Amino acid sequence: MAPALLGTVPVDTLATAPTRDSGTTRPRPLRLAVVIGSTRAGRRGPGIARWFAERAGAHEGTEVEVVDLADHPLPAVLADSGTSDPAVTALGARLAAADAFVIVTPEYNHSFPAPLKHAIDWYGSEWHAKPIAFVSYGGRGGGLRAVEQLRQVFAELHAVTVRETVSLHGPSEMAPGPGGDAAATAMLDRLVWWADALRAARAHRPFTS
């Protein structure tokens, strides 16, 4: 099943929406952004992101959007305050609209890609009080060293990283082997639980850092 893609949705949309038949309210689908963290030529990230997005899109109650950092070339110099740069504004709007994130990251030199760190550092409130999960790949370690470093980074941004991960091991693995779907489902179940809880908490009491 193909993932349900996000359209243009105001960032401040409420967590509930009216039903067509009864006029009552029901929770709107959780918006899940799958972020491709590598911009390197020949990268495997887009294929892995598509694999995961297809599974996430089949998860009940979610809308999935793939966010490719290669499509958003951010300025090299971080601004001290607000900026009108189109790339910054466009990516910021997509991050702000998301209720949860899945970061698809390789491991480069025992860490995660520099463009991913640059994108993280450009934003603040877009990450706050939201859950983050990881799909990692690269080498025998399956990118897990990159994930452990990202957990520290996102903790500083008041985000919640989920314990469950999906890790691809080996130089050419493009999707998990036997049991991979089960790992993705387990991670999505946990991510959706946190996304639902934190969305309700933000609606009840807006988060301030």
Side-chain angles (χ1 to χ4, degrees):
M1 180 183 295
L5 299 180
L6 289 175
T8 302
V9 182
V11 171
D12 59 352
T13 299
L14 295 177
T16 58
T19 58
R20 292 182 179 180
D21 51 354
S22 64
T24 59
T25 59
R26 58 175 172 76
R28 62 162 172 76
L30 292 164
R31 300 172 184 141
L32 173 60
V34 179
V35 180
I36 302 174
S38 173
T39 62
R40 180 179 291 187
R43 64 204 170 123
R44 294 161 52 204
I48 294 170
R50 285 192 297 271
W51 170 85
F52 185 82
E54 289 174 357
R55 281 143 187 83
H59 199 286
E60 184 177 359
T62 61
E63 293 178 344
V64 183
E65 180 181 36
V66 175
V67 178
D68 190 345
L69 294 184
D71 295 335
H72 298 275
L74 300 173
V77 179
L78 292 171
D80 291 334
S81 57
T83 176
S84 59
D85 185 280
V88 176
T89 301
L91 179 57
R94 298 177 79 182
L95 299 179
D99 296 305
F101 302 96
V102 172
I103 307 296
V104 178
T105 182
E107 181 179 312
Y108 294 157
N109 298 321
H110 286 210
S111 188
F112 55 92
L116 176 55
K117 182 62 163 66
H118 191 56
I120 293 170
D121 288 347
W122 256 108
Y123 304 97
S125 62
E126 290 83 356
W127 306 111
H128 290 172
K130 295 179 182 180
I132 299 177
F134 302 97
V135 176
S136 64
Y137 60 97
R140 294 182 178 179
L144 291 177
R145 287 173 292 204
V147 169
E148 290 309 305
Q149 293 182 34
L150 282 165
R151 292 188 190 279
Q152 298 178 56
V153 172
F154 280 115
E156 184 65 19
L157 287 163
H158 306 284
V160 177
T161 60
V162 304
R163 179 183 180 275
E164 290 79 0
T165 62
V166 176
S167 178
L168 310 185
H169 298 259
S172 60
E173 189 177 10
M174 290 300 295
D181 285 345
T185 298
M187 188 180 79
L188 279 164
D189 286 344
R190 188 71 68 196
L191 183 67
V192 166
W193 188 95
W194 277 106
D196 188 55
L198 290 173
R199 181 175 68 176
R202 293 194 308 272
H204 174 69
R205 182 178 179 182
F207 182 85
T208 58
S209 61

